[in-house]
Amino acid sequence: MRKLLNTLYITQPAVYLSLDGDNIVLLKEEEKLGRFPLHNLESIVAFGYTGASPALMGYCADNSISLLFLTMNGRFLARVTGQSRGNVVLRKKQYRMSEDEWLSAKIARNFIIGKIYNQKWILERMTRDYPLRVNVEQFKETSQYLSAIIFDVRACERLDRLRGLEGQAAITYNSLFDQMILQQKEDFYFHLRSRRPPLDNVNAMLSFAYTLLAHDSASALETVGLDAYVGFLHRDRPGRVSLALDLMEELRGIFADKFVLSLINKKIMNKDDFLKKENGAVIMTDEARRKFLAAWQNRKQEQITHPYLGEKIPWGLVPHAQALLLARHLRNDLDEYPPFLWK
């Protein structure tokens, strides 16, 4: 298993990124803000309209360091990638399978099984850990309903039907999300998922977490030689990392959702960390974004035992482990893609 390196987040706008030897230098109005060795980095994420020198972009491309540009609100702008080092045979197999909807459905259903199974066990853990804070009967009924949907997904061979089942599960799971917010209820609530723009504090954090998770998933897929833009569940769309969106489905609940809930319930984030714009959009302040990213990096360092591989790895390497397993399935080393099943 590869080593988990660091991600450098640049949260200040108008910072210019340059190269000096094997180091990245951060400049703002000709003032040097920082200098970091690049050999310790696997990824650079820049927020705002940050500039970067061609020399730095070339270095990152040559050394497989992902360079991602986002708006201050976390919306994707651009991603610098170098020459493809993927296994051409593996990618050709990926492309052929993605063109076949029946074969795509066989892989996609395991992404969905992983997602729903993990959502189910989030609910089960809430009833175990907080039986006096949540409606246990409602949570148990929903858990059983999700189990029934998993059974239907396992037998499904059509992508449109799979999407319908996934949508049913998502609506049911989201209906209980607000109950899992145990602290700061006046300021943090969840009624429905709003994306563009997020309309409340919780949706603002969920959107940000999903953006970071999609970036990590795309980087993992490219590292193992797959094309992050050609998916099985999410079909091709220019500029969309469809396979990364497929891969992250299993991790939305157990990584991103639980992370956001922990920030609220542990009172790491509070109402002062958010601003509401005239169009109703809710955004995080610069300081809140820094807190969020620091906690995200700490979470990625936490160790877990991978349920399929049986190895202890950091959470941050889970997308890489799943990308490896997907590549092994496409090479016919595994009969099926094994989803990440957390309990």
Side-chain angles (χ1 to χ4, degrees):
M1 187 63 65
R2 71 194 287 264
K3 181 181 178 182
L4 179 63
L5 299 176
N6 296 313
T7 299
L8 175 64
Y9 295 100
I10 296 98
T11 58
Q12 290 191 45
V15 172
Y16 187 74
L17 313 180
S18 65
L19 181 70
D20 182 9
D22 292 324
N23 303 285
I24 178 174
V25 179
L26 312 185
L27 301 170
K28 187 169 185 179
E29 297 177 355
E30 298 186 2
E31 177 188 355
K32 185 183 294 185
L33 300 181
R35 177 189 179 95
F36 304 92
L38 285 160
H39 68 268
N40 289 329
L41 300 179
E42 65 178 0
S43 165
I44 300 167
V45 181
F47 293 86
Y49 300 98
T50 306
S53 71
L56 176 66
M57 290 190 281
Y59 184 100
C60 291
D62 289 340
N63 292 276
S64 300
I65 300 172
S66 174
L67 180 54
L68 183 73
F69 295 95
L70 306 173
T71 68
M72 293 303 293
N73 299 330
R75 184 173 58 83
F76 175 84
L77 287 174
R79 183 166 174 261
V80 175
T81 57
Q83 183 178 358
S84 174
R85 294 183 174 85
N87 182 327
V88 65
V89 176
L90 177 63
R91 289 200 176 198
K92 286 175 72 175
K93 179 72 175 294
Q94 176 189 354
Y95 300 150
R96 286 197 301 270
M97 293 184 72
S98 71
E99 290 295 319
D100 187 316
E101 290 215 359
W102 181 77
L103 291 175
S104 293
K106 288 185 66 177
I107 298 175
R109 68 188 180 192
N110 283 10
F111 295 135
I112 300 303
I113 287 171
K115 178 180 183 178
I116 300 174
Y117 179 94
N118 293 333
Q119 289 175 337
K120 167 187 166 65
W121 282 103
I122 290 172
L123 302 183
E124 290 286 350
R125 282 209 173 185
M126 289 297 295
T127 63
R128 185 194 69 184
D129 296 340
Y130 305 100
L132 302 179
R133 306 288 299 276
V134 301
N135 186 330
V136 173
E137 183 179 354
Q138 187 180 14
F139 272 60
K140 289 290 185 181
E141 287 178 358
T142 301
S143 176
Q144 292 174 4
Y145 178 68
L146 293 179
S147 294
I149 293 181
I150 290 173
F151 184 81
D152 291 339
V153 169
R154 190 73 188 106
C156 185
E157 296 184 344
R158 296 197 338 264
L159 283 175
D160 56 348
R161 174 66 174 151
L162 271 178
R163 295 189 187 100
L165 292 169
E166 187 274 335
Q168 292 174 36
I171 290 170
T172 307
Y173 166 78
N174 285 339
S175 70
L176 298 182
F177 197 90
D178 190 64
Q179 287 194 53
M180 293 188 276
I181 300 172
L182 306 176
Q183 302 289 339
Q184 309 183 82
K185 296 289 287 185
E186 289 186 5
D187 304 307
F188 294 92
Y189 47 83
F190 183 89
H191 300 317
L192 54 86
R193 182 78 179 104
S194 56
R195 297 175 177 81
R196 298 175 183 172
L199 299 176
D200 56 62
N201 299 344
V202 176
N203 272 293
M205 288 194 289
L206 287 174
S207 291
F208 196 44
Y210 294 157
T211 296
L212 297 175
L213 185 56
H215 164 63
D216 290 348
S217 299
S219 296
L221 290 163
E222 296 286 347
T223 299
V224 303
L226 291 167
D227 188 335
Y229 289 85
V230 179
F232 300 105
L233 176 66
H234 294 82
R235 308 309 285 170
D236 297 348
R237 182 184 298 174
R240 182 170 76 174
V241 283
S242 296
L243 188 58
L245 297 180
D246 288 355
L247 192 74
M248 68 179 275
E249 289 293 346
E250 307 157 46
L251 304 178
R252 282 181 185 268
I254 52 169
F255 196 93
D257 293 359
K258 282 178 62 65
F259 174 75
V260 168
L261 287 169
S262 72
L263 293 182
I264 300 169
N265 293 334
K266 292 178 180 179
K267 299 184 178 180
I268 296 171
M269 305 288 282
N270 58 64
K271 64 179 181 179
D272 296 328
D273 289 321
F274 300 88
L275 300 172
K276 192 159 191 172
K277 301 175 74 174
E278 292 181 359
N279 65 350
V282 174
I283 61 173
M284 285 189 280
T285 66
D286 292 345
E287 178 58 32
R289 198 176 295 108
R290 284 191 283 271
K291 282 197 296 184
F292 190 103
L293 292 170
W296 181 266
Q297 281 296 92
N298 289 336
R299 177 66 188 278
K300 286 171 66 174
Q301 297 292 338
E302 293 177 9
Q303 296 279 321
I304 62 157
T305 299
H306 192 282
Y308 181 82
L309 298 174
E311 296 180 25
K312 267 203 162 185
I313 61 173
W315 263 112
L317 282 185
V318 171
H320 180 77
Q322 294 308 116
L324 278 173
L325 292 172
L326 179 58
R328 289 177 62 187
H329 169 59
L330 296 183
R331 289 195 299 261
N332 296 321
D333 295 334
L334 294 172
D335 291 338
E336 287 192 62
Y337 164 72
F340 184 87
L341 302 177
W342 173 85
K343 189 173 180 180

